Amino acid sequence: MKFSPTPLPGAWLIEPERLGDERGWFARTFDASEFRAREIELTVVQANTSFSPRRDTLRGMHYQADPHGEPKLISCVRGAIFDVGVDLRPESPSYCRWFGARLDAESGRALYLPRGVAHGLQTLTDDCEVRYLMGHEYVPDAGRGVRFDDPAFAIAWPEPSGERTISERDRSYAAYRPSGTPR
């Protein structure tokens, strides 16, 4: 596995090293000892899958409030997505900054986001399936979100080919105030 740090402290892009032969290929997609060696916190307690039938579906930006912060490892196992993390940790040198990367089934690349980083994605193809390995169980009362188009972050989302599909919940999040409280 190849680990590349991102501009968000504690967030990593992870690429599998595929071993191939006449049967196809094999790759490790998670290795606890490799994660520990980089001080990456992820004891998997839950695995989730999302499916989006249409290109330009936008999900996010989601996180869980402390003490229920969710470290997560995200991979796209069908199709392609633009995956984004926004650093909401006030003590972080990258507070209110974002990082995005293309994840797709072909490359097998994954993005690890530590607790305190909001997550969102935009599908780049039809029929996208995304897998999440979670380091904390889902706690509905701790669920939070920030606007995908909030000027406080200025995320450069890919230009949609048509109209974006966004849930009413994701459209209705309040603007983020850098002090940490929604406006």
Side-chain angles (χ1 to χ4, degrees), residues 1 3 28-44 73 133:
M1 299 171 69
F3 289 76
R28 277 184 303 155
T29 57
F30 179 79
D31 184 322
S33 63
E34 292 281 348
F35 276 58
R36 275 192 308 274
R38 290 162 181 83
E39 299 179 354
I40 298 173
E41 170 199 10
L42 187 63
T43 300
V44 177
L73 182 64
L133 297 182

Side-chain angles (χ1 to χ4, degrees), residues 22-153:
E22 66 278 356
R23 300 168 294 171
W25 56 263
F26 173 87
R28 277 184 303 155
T29 57
F30 179 79
D31 184 322
S33 63
E34 292 281 348
F35 276 58
R36 275 192 308 274
R38 290 162 181 83
E39 299 179 354
I40 298 173
E41 170 199 10
L42 187 63
T43 300
V44 177
V45 299
Q46 188 172 307
N48 303 320
T49 302
S50 70
F51 174 76
S52 300
R54 288 183 296 282
R55 176 186 179 139
D56 299 322
T57 297
L58 199 142
R59 296 174 179 264
M61 301 294 296
H62 307 141
Y63 68 99
Q64 283 195 169
D66 284 335
H68 306 289
E70 299 172 300
K72 59 183 75 170
L73 182 64
I74 305 110
S75 58
C76 183
V77 296
R78 183 171 17 158
I81 63 172
F82 182 67
D83 206 49
V84 175
V86 172
D87 195 339
L88 299 180
R89 302 168 293 179
E91 72 286 355
S92 173
S94 63
Y95 180 52
C96 287
R97 290 198 211 136
W98 66 275
F99 173 77
R102 179 187 171 98
L103 304 182
D104 55 61
E106 188 175 323
S107 72
R109 206 156 66 156
L111 180 63
Y112 169 80
L113 298 175
R115 64 182 67 239
V117 175
H119 173 251
L121 63 88
Q122 179 179 319
T123 60
L124 301 175
T125 62
D126 289 340
D127 299 324
C128 286
E129 188 173 339
V130 179
R131 298 251 169 93
Y132 310 78
L133 297 182
M134 309 299 291
H136 196 287
E137 65 276 356
Y138 176 63
V139 179
D141 291 342
R144 303 285 189 278
V146 295
R147 289 190 61 84
F148 71 95
D149 60 354
D150 194 315
F153 313 124

